[in-house]
Amino acid sequence: MFCDALPLAERFAAFLASEGVLRGLIGPREVPRLWERHLVNCALVADAIPLGARVCDLGSGAGLPGLVLAIARPDLRLSLVEPLLRRTTFLDEAVEVLGLHGVEVVRARAEALHGSTTYDVVTSRAVAPLGRLAQWSLPLVTPGGSMLALKGSSAQREIDESAAAIHKLGGSSVTIEQFGAHLVDAPTTVVRVQVSPICGKA
């Protein structure tokens, strides 16, 4: 899934295992399963994103999935949005160490960007329950674009609880998609919220 970018992914894994742990962005117990639980889990989502898309990764934290997507898909233009200084400092250093292009780190809350910019795709992983995530993400999605939330077994329950609010925010459809079922034992579960090309946000 990383193909020619595998050496770069290995450098990121090493950076996460060292600086990520040192700065409290990755727990020490996560190091032995960095690839399976984090890097591969995020990289599988790359197939869900259109070629050359402008992508916003909300609550990027340690760069999951934002930096992984930048490594796997150099055609993408990525904004890593994170409000905490220690995390944006880590992200800035990771971008420099990996020599990534087309990636910007933005220290801000999602709400601060509402009304000023939009993206083709807004991603997130382990940030918030779906309803709250939609409030932060959907105002940033351009008409015809989508929100991709990496979720686990709670995906359907979260959809059931937040479907009405998502529709009110302009989500025209909500689906659960799985990526990597033929490649890994635990495929990545993604909730995709599509925004109508003719935006009808309330």
Side-chain angles (χ1 to χ4, degrees):
M1 63 198 65
F2 286 107
C3 299
D4 293 341
L6 183 58
L8 200 56
E10 291 173 337
R11 286 174 61 191
F12 181 44
F15 194 71
L16 279 174
S18 54
E19 290 299 319
V21 172
L22 184 64
R23 304 184 195 197
L25 300 181
I26 291 288
R29 293 181 181 179
E30 295 300 305
V31 173
R33 50 186 184 179
L34 268 179
W35 282 95
E36 177 186 354
R37 183 167 178 149
H38 299 290
L39 298 179
V40 171
N41 177 261
C42 292
L44 289 170
V45 183
D47 289 340
I49 301 175
L51 185 68
R54 189 162 181 251
V55 180
C56 172
D57 185 37
L58 281 188
S60 202
L64 304 167
L67 286 177
V68 175
L69 293 174
I71 292 168
R73 291 281 305 278
D75 60 288
L76 302 177
R77 293 167 292 159
L78 277 134
S79 295
L80 312 182
V81 177
E82 171 59 54
L84 297 182
L85 178 60
R86 69 185 179 90
R87 293 178 180 172
T88 56
T89 299
F90 172 86
L91 292 170
D92 278 325
E93 291 180 15
V95 169
E96 183 176 355
V97 165
L98 299 172
L100 296 174
H101 302 286
V103 181
E104 65 169 351
V105 178
V106 180
R107 186 185 174 199
R109 295 187 178 278
E111 304 95 312
L113 303 179
H114 291 175
S116 64
T117 186
T118 57
Y119 302 86
D120 303 310
V121 176
V122 176
T123 61
S124 59
R125 181 178 188 257
V127 172
L130 190 61
R132 195 182 323 154
L133 197 56
Q135 292 176 2
W136 295 337
S137 301
L138 289 180
L140 294 173
V141 179
T142 193
S146 59
M147 162 186 155
L148 301 177
L150 280 71
K151 290 288 182 180
S153 59
S154 67
Q156 187 59 58
R157 175 178 55 79
E158 291 191 48
I159 290 173
D160 294 340
E161 293 173 350
S162 58
I166 288 173
H167 179 71
K168 190 174 182 180
L169 287 162
S172 60
S173 67
V174 185
T175 55
I176 296 176
E177 301 177 8
Q178 287 199 325
F179 297 91
H182 60 298
L183 296 173
V184 295
D185 293 333
T188 302
T189 299
V190 173
V191 174
R192 180 192 292 271
V193 180
Q194 197 70 28
V195 174
S196 172
I198 301 175
C199 188
K201 296 177 186 177

